[in-house]
Amino acid sequence: MLNILPNLTTTLAGKALQSCLMNASGVFCTEKDELLQLVNASSGAVVTKSCTLEYRAGNPSPRYADIPFGSINSMGLPNNGIQYYLNFIDEVEKQSDKLVILSIAGLSHQENIELLKIANQSNALQLIELNLSCPNIAGKPQTGYDFVASRDLLQKAFEVCQKPIGVKLPPYFDMVHFDEMASVLNDFPIAYICCVNSIGNGLVIDKNTDATIIKPKNGFGGVGGLYIKPTALANVNKFYELLPHVDIVGCGGVQNGQDAYEHILCGASMIQIGTTLWQQGISCFARIENELLQILQQKGYTSIKEFKGKLGRI
Ligand code: RRO
C-alpha cells in the first residue's frame, strides 16, 4: 500500500504556508532578535507584538506569571512602535519568504485608524492582525465586547486600509454574543479571525504572601494556557459554524500535538501558540509539529484539510 507522508501545510487569507503552527501575538515577538528567531523557527508564519504609534514601556513588573495550568499577564502593551515592526518586515522580505503579520492595537479608535493608514503604506507588509481584545489597559474596555464599537472601527478600518485585515477576538461566553459578533464580522471582508485572546481579568494569589501574583491593575490579568482550552475550542468551533467562509486561527491551551489536532477538528486552519512558547521556548514548534504529524499518520490523514472542522457530535 502506498504510504503518503502527512504534511502540515495550510492556507491563511489565501497565502500558502508550510506549517499550520505559529506564535501567538505578545509572546517572544516584541524585540527584533526574538522575531528573527521566530522567522527561522519551524513555524508557518510570525505575528508581531501588538503595536501602537509610539514606543510603550507597558505596565510595572511583575506583569507575567506562570501558574499551574497556564499563565496570567498584564503586560500593558509594551512595544517598540509601529515603525520598528514595519522596518523589520521590510528587512525580512528581502531574505525570507516567511509571512510576518503585523499586529495592531491602538489605545483608541483614532489611533487604530492612524496605525492602519501607516501600515497601508508599507510595500512589504502582506497581512494585518487587528487586536480587538487587549484586556490589560486600565480604563480601556475591550473593543470586541462592544459590538457597536467593533462595527464602527471595522467600517473605518476597511475605508483607510486596502491590505488584508484579520481580527484577534476576545473569548465569548454566550451564544447571543457569538451571533452578534458574527453578524458584525459578516459585513466586512475579514481576512481571518483569531480565537481567542487571553480570558480577561482573572486573579491569581500567591499562597506564600496572600497577595496577588502580578502587580498591575491590582493583580487582575489575562489568563492563558490550558485553563482556557475549552473556551478557545468553543470559540473556534462556533465561529467556524457562523462564518464558514472566513479562515480561523485557533489560539488557547495548545501544549501538544493533540491540542493542535483538536483546534483543527473545531475548524482552525492555523494554530497560534502563546503560553507554551513563553514557558518552553522556540523548540516547542518542532515538538508540537512532530506530535501532530504522528497523530495524522496514526489516523491515516495526509493533510489537515482532511479533518478540519470534522468535529464529531454525540
Ligand atoms: O500587552 C498585553 O497586556 C496584552 C495584550 Br496587548 C493582549 O492582547 N493580550 C494579553 O493577554 N496581553
Side-chain angles (χ1 to χ4, degrees), residues 25 49-50 59 73-78 105 131 133-137 168 197-198 222-223:
S25 176
K49 171 67 186 171
S50 296
N59 289 339
N73 88 84
S74 183
M75 303 299 288
L77 205 37
N131 185 352
S133 47
C134 175
N136 298 330
I137 308 296
K168 175 87 170 252
N197 208 320
S198 53
V223 177

Side-chain angles (χ1 to χ4, degrees), residues 216-230:
K217 283 182 68 183
N218 280 329
F220 287 66
V223 177
L226 203 51
Y227 293 106
I228 78 166
K229 192 177 112 176

Side-chain angles (χ1 to χ4, degrees), residues 170-189:
Y172 297 97
F173 303 95
D174 190 298
M175 291 303 176
V176 171
H177 296 160
F178 286 115
D179 289 338
E180 285 194 62
M181 195 58 186
S183 79
V184 171
L185 297 169
N186 239 328
D187 288 341
F188 300 96

Side-chain angles (χ1 to χ4, degrees), residues 58-66 72-76 204 206 209 211-221 278:
N59 289 339
S61 293
R63 58 191 188 178
Y64 172 95
D66 290 324
I72 184 167
N73 88 84
S74 183
M75 303 299 288
V204 177
D206 180 338
T209 62
T212 60
I213 202 166
I214 58 169
K215 181 180 171 75
K217 283 182 68 183
N218 280 329
F220 287 66
W278 190 302

Side-chain angles (χ1 to χ4, degrees), residues 101-113:
I101 303 168
L102 178 75
S103 172
I104 281 176
L107 297 181
S108 64
H109 283 208
Q110 195 47 44
E111 185 173 4
N112 276 314
I113 296 307

Side-chain angles (χ1 to χ4, degrees), residues 41-184:
S42 166
S43 61
V46 176
V47 60
T48 68
K49 171 67 186 171
S50 296
C51 67
T52 48
L53 285 170
E54 303 298 335
Y55 164 87
R56 279 175 61 85
N59 289 339
S61 293
R63 58 191 188 178
Y64 172 95
D66 290 324
I67 47 179
F69 300 100
S71 64
I72 184 167
N73 88 84
S74 183
M75 303 299 288
L77 205 37
N79 78 92
N80 288 302
I82 185 170
Q83 201 53 54
Y84 179 94
Y85 300 103
L86 287 176
N87 291 346
F88 176 78
I89 290 168
D90 276 346
E91 276 174 42
V92 170
E93 195 226 17
K94 296 184 188 109
Q95 317 154 18
S96 159
D97 32 2
K98 185 80 82 70
L99 174 67
V100 182
I101 303 168
L102 178 75
S103 172
I104 281 176
L107 297 181
S108 64
H109 283 208
Q110 195 47 44
E111 185 173 4
N112 276 314
I113 296 307
E114 291 308 315
L115 288 160
L116 288 164
K117 283 183 184 166
I118 294 168
N120 197 44
Q121 300 299 312
S122 160
N123 285 325
L125 179 64
Q126 298 185 53
L127 187 55
I128 297 165
E129 183 169 292
L130 176 61
N131 185 352
L132 298 181
S133 47
C134 175
N136 298 330
I137 308 296
K140 304 270 181 191
Q142 293 173 74
T143 306
Y145 286 144
D146 181 335
F147 305 112
V148 174
S150 294
R151 178 180 291 283
D152 188 46
L153 175 58
L154 290 171
Q155 186 74 47
K156 292 191 192 116
F158 285 100
E159 279 165 22
V160 300
C161 184
Q162 282 72 54
K163 293 196 184 277
I165 304 173
V167 293
K168 175 87 170 252
L169 297 176
Y172 297 97
F173 303 95
D174 190 298
M175 291 303 176
V176 171
H177 296 160
F178 286 115
D179 289 338
E180 285 194 62
M181 195 58 186
S183 79
V184 171

